[in-house]
Amino acid sequence: QVQLVESGGASVQTGSSLILSCAASGFTFSSTCMGWFRQVSGKAREGIAIDHFGHTTYAESVKGRFTISRDNAKKTLYLQMSSLNPEDTGMYYCARARYDGECPLETSFFMSWGQGTQVTVSS
């Protein structure tokens, strides 16, 4: 059974850093494109970053501030976040790619969403 469990969210102040983790199980993590997504209440879920066998893609809003990485031995996906600002507030989810091959930063290409971890950035 596929399971993704996010953790690491917190309430922080502008300029802070956080590291989110996503523990994966039930599928071959090492050969799966993985992504981080963010959803603000009342808005659509948006792609933040993906890791496709070491090739990473970021949303423009987080480039240079966020870093996605993975530890295949631990079956864990990470999102290092720095210089956080209030616009980064939201529920953060990890997900696995729906298909082999192409893996764009689009929610429709992902599935098996975790329960999310809340990040709140105050000014």
Side-chain angles (χ1 to χ4, degrees):
Q1 158 189 359
V2 173
Q3 192 170 21
L4 297 170
V5 180
E6 302 93 338
S7 62
S11 294
V12 297
Q13 292 189 328
T14 296
S16 299
S17 299
L18 278 176
I19 299 177
L20 305 184
S21 299
C22 169
S25 61
F27 63 100
T28 308
F29 179 79
S30 60
S31 62
T32 303
C33 176
M34 298 292 296
W36 283 100
F37 299 80
R38 175 171 70 200
Q39 187 166 24
V40 177
S41 179
K43 295 187 177 181
R45 193 169 297 183
E46 61 173 337
I48 296 299
I50 62 162
D51 181 293
H52 192 192
F53 304 124
H55 176 75
T56 57
T57 303
Y58 296 93
E60 284 297 325
S61 61
V62 305
K63 276 184 180 177
R65 300 188 299 120
F66 289 14
T67 302
I68 187 172
S69 63
R70 64 198 299 164
D71 184 329
N72 287 332
K74 294 183 178 180
K75 298 183 180 180
T76 301
L77 184 74
Y78 301 99
L79 184 67
Q80 295 177 271
M81 306 186 294
S82 62
S83 301
L84 286 164
N85 59 65
E87 288 69 41
D88 296 317
T89 293
M91 186 71 80
Y92 284 72
Y93 300 88
C94 67
R96 63 175 181 139
R98 187 182 297 275
Y99 311 111
D100 292 331
E102 187 178 10
C103 186
L105 190 54
E106 297 177 19
T107 55
S108 61
F109 280 77
F110 287 81
M111 63 179 181
S112 306
W113 302 89
Q115 84 289 346
T117 188
Q118 178 69 35
V119 173
T120 302
V121 185
S122 58
S123 57

